[in-house]
Structures are given as structure tokens and as C-alpha cells.
Amino acid sequence: MQLRRIRLINFRQHADTVLEFDRGLTGIVGPNGAGKSTLLEAIAWAMYGTPAARGNRDSIRRRSAPPRSKVEVELDFAIGAHQYRVVRSLQGASLYLDGEAAPIANSSAAVSERVGRLLGMTKEEFFNTYFTGQKELAVMASMTAPERARFLSRVLGYERLALVQTRLKEERSILKAQLQTAETGLEDPAQLAGEEQRAGERLMTADTELARAAAHRTAADRAHAVMAPEWQRLEQRREQVRTIESDLQIADHSAVEARRSFETMDLALREALEARAQREELLPGLADWDELIARRDRLEADSHAFAGRRGVEAEAAEVRRNAAALGDRLAQLPDPARLALVREEIVRAEAALQQSGTALEELRNEVVRERQNAETMLKGLYAQHDDMKSEKVRLESAGAEGVCPTCGKPLGKEYEGVLDDLETRLAVIVADGRHYRARIEQLTREPETLVAARKGHEAAEADLTRLTRAVGRIEEGVAERARIETSRIELVSRLERLERQLAAVPTTYDETLHQSVRERIAALEPRREQVLLLGARAERAVDLVARAAEAEQALTRLESRAAGLRLELAALGWSAEEYELGRQRIQAAERERQAAELALVRASGERAAAAESRDQVARRRADRDRRAAEADRIRSDLELNQELDRAFTDLRDELNEQLRPDLADHASVLLRALTNDRYSDLDLDEDYVATIVDDGEPKTVISGGEEDVVNLALRLAISQMIAERAGQPFSLLILDEVFGSLDEERRASVVELLRALADRFPQVILITHIESVRDGFDRIVRIDYDVEQGIARAREERVPTEESDAAA
């Protein structure tokens, strides 16, 4: 794998950073915190997503980025003959192949999975292969021997064997439980054979009983069939007798009811004739009844009308008073013309308020802008002052024999001039700072023009408030005027209607005549009710005569019907004793038939139970054979599992035995290059503790720098072995701040080693804050952090050469 290009948009400190990568040794140089390691994090995030980055989605976004601005990393890289481009944002990711417009993967999970398959490495393997950092070296150095052995086994992939054995152990537990379950409850074959014999004998006995019950049922059916015709004849004769007896009871009952009805009608007819005679005697006393009722109704109508006149007169007087009060209120309320004038004044006041507000806002914005500009300039001057102060301290510490902190060249005679120039620039910065501090203090107080503008705006607001309240009161008065005028019109209409009503009401009423008419009607009321009652009874006489004749004819017919039914019943010659004897014989045949049926059902049930018992024993036999076969299969699988576990244990032992010499050989080759052949061999004991072999003898005491070199050699060796096992050429190496406690000589050795291993590592990227190693790079990328804008900036620098040093 080789990197081609990366672009970071709003990723951590980087607003929009683009870097081109090439073969050879590239140095990414800059102060701590400038955003160098962020480039590596962006590479990992583009390829493997959020799990490969520190923090979460919110911490990945640049702090000063505008809201809803995109966060994106675009990475171009090559694997073999193919070119790939991955574009990842907070919302998703896409992977493109060989410049095609359509992606070959277009989701975060799909891109991460596809990249892993292309490299043949997981995220952890990728970091343990291509990336090497100072912290990782420190971690290896601080490990105990067993921890270091487990670490090497894990990063080199041997831990997968332990995972397989763990799964085999889990599967073995399951197989043992399955075997125990399969063997539990296996029945004795001899016991099953005995049960099968008893079930067969029971089935034969059941077949014999079933044949006997079937013969009994056939004989009972035949006997019942012989008796059935005679019993059917007796049943038919009995039904005829019951029908005639029922009809006779109905006929007798109907005759009794007809006689009672005839006698009732005859009595009612006599009462109706007597009521007619009494009515004729009472009628002459009610000759003037209708005239009295008509006179009473007229007098009651006059009474009601005369009584309502006073209420109408009182209501009319109340309406007149209310109308006069509404007229007085109308004289006090404003008219719509006054409302129009006040509204025009409000429009003028609103325009004045808007104009004063605009002027006030412009003055405020001007003051705020001037103060912000002064604060920004003062902040920048503070930063410049701190930088120049630090540069002056470094320059004074280095003296005339030191090198320029900017260009890295010896100062010599130019030392005093450079120092004077720094002091002059510091004085200018201090003077400018005093000016901007005074300006900030001046802008803290409100200018006179702003105070006057604010007072004018407040006066305009008060005037508009006064007019708004006034127009509210006038609007309420106009609305009240409209309501009162409507109410007054309604009252006038109502008064006219009441006056017309009074004109139609009589002015006199004879209460004495009205009372006398009432008393006369009350005296005649009992006679009137009696006449009405007697009339209702008398009117029934004509109808009762015809109905009494019909009742007498119906009585005659019903009595004749009852006599005929008695003769028909006597002609049948019915004998209850004969019927009872036949019933007893047929019931006995029925009981015998039911007993035979029950015996047949029982025999059939026993036969079915015997067959089920035999089948159940057969099923138990088949289940026992199946479970025995399953137990044999599980036992075979368990033996295979145990054999595989032993084989994987032996394989792990062999791999661990092979790992130490292989890793020691790889590390020794790198150690010779790192120490300029000072040390040629690196030995690893059984606990993977590294020891330098010097002239054939182990060196027990080494310095901190030598320990870092040993750890670096081991780390590079591990990376090589991981890449080889993943099937990928180890073409890319990224080192992040790996110099640690190395002295200048060791640092130069590391750089020379990386240059000498160009055939193994065609592309090497080294991140460092140490300026002294710049000369060994093929290409330099400078990363600085702009404090004022809060963003990281990247620029390519010229690589120092002997010719450029001589010219300087």
C-alpha cells in the first residue's frame, strides 16, 4: 500500500488541508499541538471510520467551523496496480476504484469492510503494521515478560488459535451435555421385548372379545326387528286415542266458554236498554248547556286580555326610559372622524420611531465594531509579543555562536543586529498595545452621540405608546356607539309593537257575569257526565243483539262436536292393558340391544387400546434405537473435538517456538542498521525479554537510548512479520514521534536506517517536532498552527542541501 494524496475539511484543527505524498522519506515537521498527528488520525478515520478516531462525531468537527458545514476526509492510495479513493464524512462514505465515477462501496460500514478485505487486515492489524508511535514503544518497554509475550502473540495473529480453542471448549461442554441427555433414560431392550410380547397377547384377546360382542349385537337386532311392527301398530292406535281425547277436551272447554259468553252478552243487553231509558229522562235539564259553554269561553278570553294590558303598559314605559338613557350615552361617545385623525398621528409616530431606531442601531454597531477590532488587534499583539519574547530568550541563550531560530544558520556577526531588530519590534508591539488598550477603555463608555440618539428613541417610543393607548380608548368608544345605536333602533321598534298591542286590548270586563256563568256550568256538570255515561251504554244495545244470537249458534255447534267425538272414541275399542304389555316387551328388546351395543363398544375400545399399547411399545423401541445412534454420533464428535484441541495446543507451542527466533532474526537485521553495525545480534529469551549480544556476550546493562533502539527494532520487526502474514508487501511505514530519548547520533542512525531500507519501505512518513533531523528527509512538510484563526496550516519546505548551506 502507498499513499498518494489526502485532503482534510473541518477535521480537528484543519479547515482545508491538502497533502501530496510520494515515494521516499517524507518528514512532517512542526511544533507539538500543531496538528501533525491529526493527519495520521484522518488517514485511519477515512479507511476504518469512527472506531479508528479519538473521540466522537462532535469532537472530530473543527470547533470554529460554521454550523452545518461539512466534515470530510478524502484519501487517495494505491494497492498493487489499482488506484483507490475513499471519501468519508460524518454522514457516510464512498470508495472509488481506478477513477470510476460510480463507487464500489457507498456506506460507512461497507467502505470499512471493503478496505479491510483489500488490505487483508483488521483495524488493529493495520495500526500494528503501518503505524509506529513513541507511546507504543514505551508501552512495550514497560511490559512484563508474560505481558510482552501475550502482546506479540496477539498482534501476530497467534491469539486466534486460543480463540479457536476457547470455542472448541465451549462446543465440548455442549457435546458433553448432549451426550448425557442422549444417554439418560435409555430403556432396557429385554424389558421392551417383554412389553412387546404382553401387548401382542392383549391384542389377540381383544380381537376374540370383539367378535363375540359383534355376534351378540346381531342377535339382539334380529329380535328387536320381530317385535317392532306390532309395537308400531299399538303406538299408532294410542296416538289416535290421544288426538280424539285432546279434541274432546277442547270441544268441552269451548262449549263452556261459549255458554258463559252468551250469558254475559244477555246481561249486557238488559243493562244497555235500561241506560237508554234513564238518558231520555235526564236530557231536558241540559237544553242550554252549549250556550253556557260558548258564553264562558268568550268571558275567559276577555279576562286574559284585560289582565295582560297592565303588563304591556309597564313594559312600554320601561322601553321609553331605556331609549332615553341610550340617547344620553350617545351624546358622550366619540365619532369615527376623531378615530381617523388619531390613527394618522400614529402612522407619523411609527415612522419617527423607526427612523430613530435605525440611527441608534447604526451608532451601536459602529461602536461594537470599533471595540471588537481593537480587542482583536490587542489579542494578536499579545501573541506576537509572546512569540518574539520567546525568540529573544532563545537567541540570547544561544549567543553569537548559536544558529538563527528562524532559518537555522549560524548568526556570528549578525547576532547583535538580529537582537536589536527583535527589541525594536518588541517596542513597537508594546506601543501599539498601549494604544489599543486606551481605545478599548474609551469605547467602554457611551459616546455623547449614542446617548442623545437613545434619548430621542425613547421619547419617540413614549409618544407612540401614548397615541396607541388613546386610539384604543377611541376605538372602544366608536364600537360602543355602534352597539348603542343598534340597541336604540331595536327599542324604538319594540315600543311601536307594544303600542299596537295595547290598541287591540279591551278596556272593560264584566267579572260578575263571568262568575255566574261558571257557577251555572258547575251545577250542571254532574248531570252532563251521567248523560254521557248512559249514552255510551245505550249505544251498545244494537250491537249486543246480533252478537248474542251468534253466541247462541256457536254454543249449539260446540255441544254437537263434543257428542260426535265421544262416539268416535268408543268405536276405537282402545285397551290400555294391551298397550302396556307391548311396551314392556319392546323395552326389554331395546335394553338387550343397548347392552349388546355397549359390549361391542367396550370390545372395540379395548381392541384399540391394545393396538395403541403395541404401537407405543414399537415407538419406544424406535426412539430408543434413534437415541442410541445419536449418542454414538455425539460421542464420535466429542472425541474429534478433544483431538482438535490437543492438535491446536501442539500447534501453538510450535508457533511460539518458531516466533522467537524469527522475530529475533528480523530485529537483529534492523538493529545492525540502527547502530551502524555496533550491535549485530538481538536475543529473545523464553519470556521474550530482549538482550543485546555484544561480541558474542549478552549485554545486561544498556542506556535509555539503546533501550529505545531495541524497542524500535522489535517494533519494526513485528510490523514486517504482521505484513508478511497478511499477504501484503510492507511498503508503507509511518513513524510518529519515535525518537523519544534518542540522542542526536541515534536520531541520525534511525534516519539513515530508513533511507537505507528504501527497498523494504518505498514510502516512509516520519512525524516529529525535532528540527535537527530535517537534513535527512527527501521532502519536508511544515505544519503550523494559526492562533488567531484557530486552524492548522500545511506548506512544503525546501530540503536543505550542501549547495544551499554554502550559499547561506
Side-chain angles (χ1 to χ4, degrees), residues 88-157:
R88 187 180 295 272
S89 66
L90 295 179
Q91 290 73 35
S94 300
L95 178 64
Y96 301 87
L97 172 64
D98 293 335
E100 293 292 335
I104 60 176
N106 57 0
S107 70
S108 295
V111 169
S112 300
E113 189 272 336
R114 189 67 177 268
V115 168
R117 285 196 287 113
L118 287 173
L119 296 175
M121 298 181 185
T122 63
K123 172 176 67 68
E124 291 76 13
E125 290 171 339
F126 180 77
F127 273 97
N128 289 323
T129 304
Y130 294 117
F131 285 81
T132 299
Q134 179 182 2
K135 294 181 180 179
E136 295 177 14
L137 298 179
V139 169
M140 286 189 62
S142 63
M143 287 181 180
T144 63
E147 288 173 345
R148 188 180 294 109
R150 286 194 297 271
F151 169 78
L152 293 172
S153 178
R154 174 170 52 81
V155 300
L156 290 172

Side-chain angles (χ1 to χ4, degrees), residues 438-680:
R439 182 59 177 161
I440 290 171
E441 292 176 358
Q442 180 183 2
L443 292 174
T444 302
R445 300 184 296 273
E446 271 191 346
E448 295 294 335
T449 55
L450 183 59
V451 173
R454 188 180 73 253
K455 290 181 178 179
H457 184 66
E458 291 172 352
E461 284 182 338
D463 191 25
L464 179 60
T465 302
R466 177 183 58 79
L467 290 173
T468 303
R469 292 173 179 172
V471 80
R473 292 192 298 271
I474 295 173
E475 286 176 346
E476 291 177 358
V478 171
E480 186 180 357
R481 169 181 283 275
R483 293 194 299 270
I484 290 176
E485 288 177 346
T486 302
S487 300
R488 192 166 180 267
I489 293 171
E490 292 177 354
L491 287 176
V492 171
S493 176
R494 183 179 174 191
L495 182 60
E496 292 175 353
R497 187 169 61 255
L498 291 172
E499 289 175 348
R500 288 194 300 270
Q501 187 175 351
L502 286 172
V505 174
T507 57
T508 60
Y509 162 63
D510 191 349
E511 185 175 359
T512 304
L513 177 61
H514 190 188
Q515 184 62 31
S516 65
V517 171
R518 286 177 178 171
E519 292 174 355
R520 177 61 178 163
I521 290 174
L524 293 176
E525 187 71 32
R527 181 185 290 266
R528 167 72 175 174
E529 293 180 356
Q530 187 176 6
V531 167
L532 292 176
L533 180 60
L534 292 172
R537 292 179 181 176
E539 288 176 357
R540 297 178 58 195
V542 177
D543 182 58
L544 288 173
V545 171
R547 291 176 61 189
E550 291 177 359
E552 185 177 6
Q553 293 175 0
L555 177 59
T556 302
R557 288 196 302 271
L558 289 172
E559 288 177 345
S560 300
R561 170 65 175 164
L565 288 172
R566 287 188 178 88
L567 293 174
E568 186 178 353
L569 182 60
L572 285 176
W574 166 252
S575 173
E577 292 77 6
E578 182 184 3
Y579 176 80
E580 180 62 24
L581 182 60
R583 186 180 65 80
Q584 292 176 358
R585 288 201 301 269
I586 195 68
Q587 286 180 348
E590 286 285 351
R591 286 194 296 272
E592 184 65 20
R593 185 182 179 189
Q594 290 175 359
E597 178 70 23
L598 181 60
L600 180 61
V601 170
R602 289 174 178 171
S604 298
E606 173 60 19
R607 203 275 178 192
E612 175 61 24
S613 178
R614 181 196 60 185
D615 295 342
Q616 184 178 10
V617 174
R619 287 194 296 271
R620 286 165 58 195
R621 165 73 71 179
D623 181 65
R624 197 267 178 200
D625 294 342
R626 179 187 59 78
R627 291 178 63 185
E630 180 68 12
D632 291 340
R633 184 192 63 77
I634 295 172
R635 193 176 294 105
S636 176
D637 291 345
L638 182 59
E639 293 174 356
L640 177 61
N641 178 284
Q642 294 169 341
E643 183 63 29
L644 283 173
D645 188 32
R646 287 191 294 270
F648 278 122
T649 300
D650 296 340
L651 178 60
R652 287 181 62 190
D653 293 340
E654 292 177 7
L655 289 175
N656 285 329
E657 288 298 323
Q658 294 175 4
L659 172 62
R660 283 193 302 109
D662 289 347
L663 183 58
D665 290 344
H666 281 77
S668 296
V669 173
L670 294 170
L671 181 63
R672 284 194 292 273
L674 281 171
T675 59
N676 293 326
D677 293 328
R678 171 69 179 84
Y679 301 119
S680 58

Side-chain angles (χ1 to χ4, degrees), residues 9-13 41 45 49-66 68-73 88-93 107-109:
I9 299 177
N10 293 322
F11 188 90
R12 301 284 192 207
Q13 306 100 312
E41 184 181 7
W45 184 69
T50 303
R54 297 167 296 167
N56 51 28
R57 292 164 55 96
D58 294 333
S59 63
I60 289 175
R61 179 188 296 274
R62 185 168 61 88
R63 292 182 179 179
S64 57
R68 293 189 293 276
S69 58
K70 70 176 180 179
V71 177
E72 185 176 276
V73 173
R88 187 180 295 272
S89 66
L90 295 179
Q91 290 73 35
S107 70
S108 295

Side-chain angles (χ1 to χ4, degrees), residues 800-807:
T801 61
E802 294 181 0
E803 292 76 5
S804 62
D805 292 342

